[in-house]
Amino acid sequence: MPTYTDVLPHHRNLYYGGQWLKAGSGKTDTTINPATGESLGSWAVADATDVDAAVRKALEGFRVWRAVKPADRAVILRQAAQVIRDHAEEIALIDSADSGGPYRRMIRDSEGGAAAFEFFAGLVTEMKGSTLPLGDDTLNYTMREPLGVVVRINAYNHPFLFAASRAAAPLAAGNALIIKPPDQAPLSTLRLAELIGPLFPPGVINVLTGGRECGEALVEHPLVAKVALIGSVPTGKAIARAAAGTLKKVGLELGGKNALIAYPDSDPAKVAAGAVNGMNFTWCGQSCGSTSRIFLHDNIHDEVVEGILKAVEAYRFGLPTDEATQMGCMISAQQLSKTEHYVALALKEGARLVAGGARPSDPIYSRGFFYPPTVFTDVTPDMTIAREEVFGPVMSILRWRDEDAMIEAVNRSELGLTASIWTRNLATAHRAAARVEAGYIWINGSSTHTLGAPFGGYKQSGLGREESLEELLECTQLKNINVSL
Ligand SMILES: NC(=O)c1ccc[n+]([C@@H]2O[C@H](COP(=O)([O-])OP(=O)(O)OC[C@H]3O[C@@H](n4cnc5c(N)ncnc54)[C@H](O)[C@@H]3O)[C@@H](O)[C@H]2O)c1
């Protein structure tokens, strides 16, 4: 296995119009390995002038790409998938060094990116229209056209997966794309541009590294047709407000405060395993779909908690770039102190700490942002820890007896991304699934995603659906044509 310093991307400038270009201001920022504090080098910071230049190049790319036959676009998408697969391990190593996710699991992220390119390559002819019967002297039909320049702004927790998997649908539909990677972990997106950029006509796929200023300029640009964000609720609201100025389309994949609900007839061992899996401790809980609120029925509460504590004890964190590591570290000092803040609040508000709750004392971990799996019991729905997204490795366990009160507590959250329901009774499962206000539900499962199954949130967890045909269609616009014969 190579070391991560061998595989970091060579290019650190902006990629647009098929070229690597310095930021006009000459400004750069640096990125660090969150496990060690070591610098991974610098990257260019795009400002509004760079954004304008890149959008214009993307528009040129769009005019070429939209004229490429869908089947020919699919050929290029499949080539991109193959290149990603060929470099899956190297990409995973970059992400593990830059974002703190464990190497072995980040390989799945590389493969997920490749799989999305293959999936959307297969859907290119599904952006189709219909006809309306209006009599012999009229032909009325619809067709779907690409939007133009689509912007994707991404969060830091799965940098490559988001860059690659969310590039596939806009490209399949014939749009040009500008990706803004997370400022905390931009390197794997630069590597994506190095690897697949040359497969496309110049300007079709572009990467602008930068912070909030770059994001804001992209959202406000009048020639951008759609902006899609994977990020936090406040950023989603800021983008929706800013996009209103030019009435561009907005897609939002935002936060979650997701519930796992265990009924008294469920198997406590399976619920415990599902709860730990659903909490995504592997990424320190930094996953929008994490089931961070565990609603356990009184009859099985103690047995499930026992199982959770055993499973959590067996979780070993380590350096993310090591092959054996099960759990990595958090992205930044800021995210770590946010987690510590929520833990302190939970203790103050009366929750009982039964696992974790303090940074590791081992000096190997002192330079990184490590935090152990942390579990609270005796959490009540009104506590801050039960209401707000921590985006850290903190699980809250709530006890219930009355089903109506429990469902009301589950739905009290303003967020509604995922839910996980555990029972052996099919009718109970379907009734609960219908009552829970969330967009993506597992019954007797947690955490997994399936290409083709629409992923997205209810309420303030977002707008739109991805990972499915809906994502492709949301990258198109419908035209109606009425022909008097
Ligand atoms: N629903 C999902 O699919 C999903 C997946 C992963 C993460 N998330 C959410 O993302 C959040 C964590 O990620 P984060 O801390 O990187 O989120 P964030 O909102 O702080 O940043 C996300 C991206 O938006 C950019 N940005 C920030 N302000 C902007 C603005 N005003 N205009 C344009 N761009 C702007 C950032 O530079 C970054 O690239 C959590 O809330 C998590 O739940 C959601």
Side-chain angles (χ1 to χ4, degrees):
M1 186 177 149
T3 58
Y4 66 81
T5 44
D6 298 334
V7 298
L8 297 177
H10 297 297
H11 291 98
R12 301 303 181 96
N13 286 330
L14 312 174
Y15 181 73
Y16 62 90
Q19 289 182 299
W20 291 95
L21 298 157
K22 285 200 163 90
S25 67
K27 210 171 145 194
T28 59
D29 201 344
T30 51
T31 181
I32 59 158
N33 180 334
T36 62
E38 279 169 277
S39 172
L40 301 178
S42 63
W43 46 273
V45 178
D47 64 12
T49 310
D50 303 308
V51 164
D52 184 57
V55 170
R56 287 174 197 283
K57 286 290 176 190
L59 206 55
E60 285 173 24
F62 168 62
R63 292 192 184 113
V64 175
W65 186 238
R66 70 171 305 174
V68 175
K69 287 197 173 79
D72 295 335
R73 292 203 295 261
V75 169
I76 296 180
L77 293 183
R78 289 200 176 92
Q79 286 168 352
Q82 190 55 51
V83 173
I84 293 170
R85 282 198 196 285
D86 292 344
H87 293 81
E89 293 178 0
E90 158 204 326
I91 293 163
L93 201 49
I94 297 172
D95 260 357
S96 65
D98 204 15
S99 77
Y103 164 71
R104 211 169 34 165
R105 291 297 298 269
M106 296 319 265
I107 293 177
R108 283 201 211 167
D109 280 17
S110 313
E111 285 165 356
F117 270 95
E118 285 154 357
F119 176 76
F120 285 106
L123 288 186
V124 283
T125 51
E126 289 306 306
M127 48 184 287
K128 57 196 177 192
S130 58
T131 56
L132 192 68
L134 291 178
D136 289 347
D137 56 358
T138 307
L139 172 63
N140 185 294
Y141 64 97
T142 60
M143 57 193 290
R144 285 192 177 269
E145 297 186 336
L147 299 169
V149 178
V150 171
V151 165
R152 296 264 2 175
I153 299 177
N154 292 332
Y156 66 78
N157 52 327
H158 294 279
F160 185 82
L161 178 70
F162 295 151
S165 68
R166 302 307 202 267
L171 294 173
N175 300 283
L177 178 68
I178 301 176
I179 308 172
K180 193 201 91 57
D183 25 320
Q184 304 94 330
L187 298 184
S188 59
T189 309
L190 292 173
R191 187 69 186 126
L192 178 73
E194 286 180 348
L195 289 171
I196 71 166
L199 297 174
F200 294 85
V204 173
I205 180 160
N206 310 278
V207 172
L208 290 186
T209 43
R212 187 176 168 159
E213 186 191 347
C214 169
E216 285 173 347
L218 285 164
V219 177
E220 282 165 14
H221 202 290
L223 297 178
V224 168
K226 175 176 178 175
V227 175
L229 167 78
I230 297 182
S232 63
V233 173
T235 303
K237 289 180 181 173
I239 286 180
R241 273 193 295 269
T246 45
L247 278 183
K248 53 176 60 75
K249 281 180 189 280
V250 174
L252 302 173
E253 293 269 2
L254 308 177
K257 188 70 196 176
N258 310 300
L260 178 147
I261 300 167
Y263 280 86
D265 66 346
S266 56
D267 177 338
K270 288 186 178 162
V271 173
V276 172
N277 182 45
M279 196 45 231
N280 298 309
F281 285 122
T282 309
W283 298 276
C284 297
Q286 298 170 117
S287 216
C288 54
S290 298
T291 43
S292 54
R293 292 187 294 159
I294 308 293
F295 289 82
L296 300 179
H297 190 273
D298 200 27
N299 291 1
I300 56 165
H301 177 277
D302 295 353
E303 213 179 323
V304 176
V305 170
E306 206 178 299
I308 287 175
L309 293 183
K310 263 198 200 131
V312 154
E313 235 173 67
Y315 243 87
R316 291 276 166 264
F317 49 62
L319 290 178
T321 45
D322 284 352
E323 216 168 348
T325 294
Q326 272 183 308
M327 177 181 184
C329 64
M330 307 201 70
I331 189 74
S332 62
Q334 191 192 11
Q335 203 58 36
L336 178 65
S337 60
K338 186 177 160 205
T339 299
E340 288 177 320
H341 160 77
Y342 276 110
V343 168
L345 257 184
L347 288 169
K348 196 170 148 208
E349 291 178 12
R352 195 153 71 92
L353 180 69
V354 292
R359 296 181 65 177
S361 51
D362 189 330
I364 299 179
Y365 302 119
S366 63
R367 282 180 305 146
F369 311 123
F370 289 91
Y371 203 84
T374 295
V375 181
F376 283 101
T377 58
D378 299 0
V379 176
T380 55
D382 49 317
M383 288 181 187
T384 313
I385 196 95
R387 290 186 287 107
E388 295 182 14
E389 185 189 43
V390 179
F391 219 58
V394 183
M395 176 190 280
S396 299
I397 299 179
L398 300 92
R399 193 190 286 265
W400 66 274
R401 271 196 161 282
D402 177 81
E403 187 183 21
D404 288 341
M406 178 271 292
I407 294 277
E408 187 276 324
V410 165
N411 288 339
R412 211 181 294 166
S413 173
E414 286 171 347
L415 304 175
L417 192 56
T418 72
S420 164
I421 296 164
W422 293 77
T423 169
R424 292 182 223 223
N425 184 312
L426 215 51
T428 305
H430 288 297
R431 277 198 203 105
R435 292 179 74 186
V436 168
E437 293 165 1
Y440 203 77
I441 297 188
W442 299 277
I443 290 170
N444 298 328
S446 60
S447 187
T448 53
H449 285 229
T450 308
L451 268 176
F455 183 79
Y458 273 32
K459 303 191 278 191
Q460 294 191 25
S461 284
L463 294 175
R465 294 293 178 268
E466 304 202 320
E467 303 176 4
S468 58
L469 178 61
E470 284 75 7
E471 183 179 350
L472 182 84
L473 299 182
E474 286 174 18
C475 294
T476 68
Q477 53 197 334
L478 204 54
K479 180 177 274 178
N480 184 271
I481 298 170
N482 193 77
V483 188
S484 295
L485 299 172

